Amino acid sequence: MLLFREKPPADWLPKVLANLPAVLVDHAHLERKAATSALNLEKYRDLFPRVEELNAIAIEELQHFQLVLGLLKKRAIPFGQPYPSPWIAGLMRSVRNGQRCQVIDHLICCSLIEGRSCEKFQILAVELKQVDDELAAFYASLVESEGNHYATYLLMAREIDEAETQRRLDFYLDLDARLIREPNPLPMLH
Ligand SMILES: [Fe+2]
Ligand SMILES: [Fe+2]
């Protein structure tokens, strides 16, 4: 169950549909960054007991990365440079310093990024059906995995400190709702 307080803006889907090759390159980087994020979370003391779970997520994200690279190759789309996401940067800028605050904020940010991916992949799975059947099926195949990552990261934060996670989740859901409304003309998922 996704908790978001704002839908993706109305111009997001037409922008993506009009720029599928560039969006696929952005998607490849998104999976690469998701793998890196899972590994980065392993630096927190509170997550030492979850190191194998985090490795499993990193491996899954690397597999997604490989799948997107396979699609790029098949479609003769060159792998290119990543665009920085103002939405992701805006979330991450609000991660507080200090061991306990930082791990909770970082987990919530990772959870929201996974949740937005899950939501947007679901939209693409439906909307691409008439346009690009292969891509529609591909996005449908990723929805469950990204949804699980969303839930796992949130659960990890709740298990460290339930009350603080609830408080910060409320803050981050408002921040997400504000940031997602900011115009971003670049051909990217987030
Ligand atoms: Fe992924
Ligand atoms: Fe993921």
Side-chain angles (χ1 to χ4, degrees):
M1 172 75 79
L2 299 169
L3 297 164
F4 296 115
R5 295 172 179 171
E6 187 76 45
K7 288 197 174 80
D11 60 354
W12 173 78
L13 182 64
K15 174 187 81 174
V16 168
L17 295 180
N19 294 285
L20 285 177
V23 168
L24 275 175
V25 173
D26 174 64
H27 182 180
H29 284 289
L30 186 67
E31 299 292 358
R32 178 184 60 76
K33 287 183 267 184
T36 316
S37 293
L39 296 177
N40 281 340
L41 287 168
E42 294 174 358
K43 71 183 175 192
Y44 296 110
R45 192 181 313 130
D46 283 308
L47 291 174
F48 289 170
R50 320 298 291 259
V51 67
E52 283 170 334
E53 250 175 289
L54 289 165
N55 274 347
I57 294 178
I59 290 166
E60 219 171 279
E61 302 292 20
L62 263 187
Q63 287 166 342
H64 295 170
F65 182 27
Q66 288 285 88
L67 289 173
V68 186
L69 287 178
L71 273 175
L72 290 178
K73 197 174 258 181
K74 195 171 166 193
R75 293 168 179 233
I77 302 166
F79 183 59
Q81 264 202 310
Y83 297 112
S85 159
W87 175 74
I88 292 178
L91 291 178
M92 292 302 292
R93 243 194 320 271
S94 297
V95 173
R96 297 164 299 170
N97 282 325
Q99 198 44 243
R100 189 45 76 81
C101 316
Q102 197 172 334
V103 66
I104 288 180
D105 287 3
H106 200 162
L107 278 167
I108 293 173
C109 286
C110 288
S111 171
L112 296 189
I113 295 165
E114 296 289 335
R116 282 295 188 189
S117 293
C118 174
E119 173 193 47
K120 288 174 172 176
F121 292 176
Q122 177 70 63
I123 295 171
L124 290 175
V126 174
E127 298 294 333
L128 281 167
K129 252 184 205 152
Q130 308 301 325
V131 188
D132 189 326
D133 209 36
E134 183 190 42
L135 219 47
F138 176 61
Y139 280 111
S141 76
L142 295 179
V143 168
E144 190 185 345
S145 167
E146 309 305 5
N148 285 340
H149 300 157
Y150 158 82
T152 301
Y153 286 147
L154 205 50
L155 200 66
M156 284 180 179
R158 288 192 193 285
E159 284 178 3
I160 293 169
D161 188 328
E162 169 75 44
E164 182 64 2
T165 297
Q166 201 48 45
R167 208 177 65 74
R168 288 301 283 171
L169 186 58
D170 184 53
F171 164 82
Y172 271 107
L173 287 171
D174 275 349
L175 178 62
D176 161 75
R178 195 165 74 240
L179 290 172
I180 205 169
R181 286 194 299 262
E182 287 184 9
N184 176 9
L186 290 173
M188 52 201 306
L189 286 163
H190 293 314

